[in-house]
Amino acid sequence: MNEIRRGTLQEQTFYEQVGGEETFRRLVHRFYEGVAGDPGFRAMYPEEDLGPAEERLTLFLMQYWGGPTTYSDNRGHPRLRMRHAPFTVDRAAHDAWLRHMRVAVDELGLSEEHETTLWNYLTYAAASMINAPD
Ligand code: HEM
């Protein structure tokens, strides 16, 4: 309960509503487990250790949904399209990214409303990241 006093029920951010940091850590950890088990797609990620990439995506999503701004404190403005420019994000990469994310979202067991909100954002954001023709 977030009620401090009757009549002062505070508005929660989406971040808080879905369980805060722990939920985003679970989401992105599961996502990168999928990436690690998909050699073709894994090859897109330049670093041998996926841990730092996992941390960046986790912090970005936490910030995006109303959590702490640690991502921008460390990395500056997200400029995600620009940051993806070094990588060939074509339809196949887009589909693989979303496939791994779908598994991770399903395993969170969110309410239908929260799940739809999160998934709509992820699909929209993934489509906007495409930077190469098929
Ligand atoms: C559409 C398919 C996508 C592909 C193939 C892709 C691939 C990649 C790759 C290869 C990296 C570099 C790994 C790293 O060093 O961090 C990266 C970074 C990142 N991606 Fe994506 N990505 C996709 C979509 C998205 C979407 C939809 C989001 C946000 C909702 C996102 C957020 C990020 C973030 C925050 C980083 C780290 C940026 C930084 O601070 O350097 N990506 N992505």
Side-chain angles (χ1 to χ4, degrees), residues 32 41 44-47 52-54 56-57 60-61 71 75 78 80 83-84 87-90 93-95 97-98 121-122 124-130:
Y32 273 108
F41 185 59
M44 277 198 77
Y45 291 80
E47 287 180 297
E54 179 175 324
R56 287 188 280 272
L57 182 55
F60 170 78
L61 290 173
Y71 176 83
R75 309 275 304 156
L80 286 188
R83 290 193 204 265
H84 286 76
F87 310 107
T88 303
V89 184
D90 57 11
H94 160 275
D95 291 355
W97 194 95
L98 278 179
Y121 163 72
L122 291 168
Y124 165 83
S128 76
M129 227 57 84
I130 293 176

Side-chain angles (χ1 to χ4, degrees), residues 99-132:
R99 196 167 60 245
H100 295 303
M101 199 49 97
R102 183 70 246 180
V103 172
V105 169
D106 283 345
E107 290 188 14
L108 288 180
L110 299 178
S111 72
E112 199 181 322
E113 193 189 336
H114 286 136
E115 186 176 304
T116 301
T117 300
L118 180 59
W119 187 247
N120 284 348
Y121 163 72
L122 291 168
T123 51
Y124 165 83
S128 76
M129 227 57 84
I130 293 176
N131 59 20

Side-chain angles (χ1 to χ4, degrees), residues 1 4 15-16 18 27-28 37 39 42 54-55 57 63 69 73 76 91 94 104 116 118 132:
M1 280 292 278
I4 295 166
Y15 169 82
E16 291 167 324
V18 297
L27 173 71
V28 180
R42 169 70 178 85
E54 179 175 324
E55 187 69 8
L57 182 55
Q63 170 174 306
T69 58
D73 296 344
R91 177 64 53 181
H94 160 275
T116 301
L118 180 59

Side-chain angles (χ1 to χ4, degrees), residues 4-78:
I4 295 166
R5 197 182 284 136
R6 179 175 294 196
T8 60
L9 191 70
Q10 292 201 325
E11 285 256 339
Q12 280 194 322
T13 60
F14 182 87
Y15 169 82
E16 291 167 324
Q17 287 171 28
V18 297
E21 176 165 358
E22 193 214 315
T23 297
F24 288 90
R25 291 213 172 271
R26 275 167 57 212
L27 173 71
V28 180
H29 186 70
R30 185 65 187 90
F31 170 77
Y32 273 108
E33 278 181 356
V35 173
D38 179 351
F41 185 59
R42 169 70 178 85
M44 277 198 77
Y45 291 80
E47 287 180 297
E48 199 176 317
D49 179 3
L50 286 174
E54 179 175 324
E55 187 69 8
R56 287 188 280 272
L57 182 55
T58 302
L59 292 176
F60 170 78
L61 290 173
M62 285 168 53
Q63 170 174 306
Y64 179 84
W65 289 105
T69 58
T70 317
Y71 176 83
S72 282
D73 296 344
N74 294 335
R75 309 275 304 156
H77 192 285

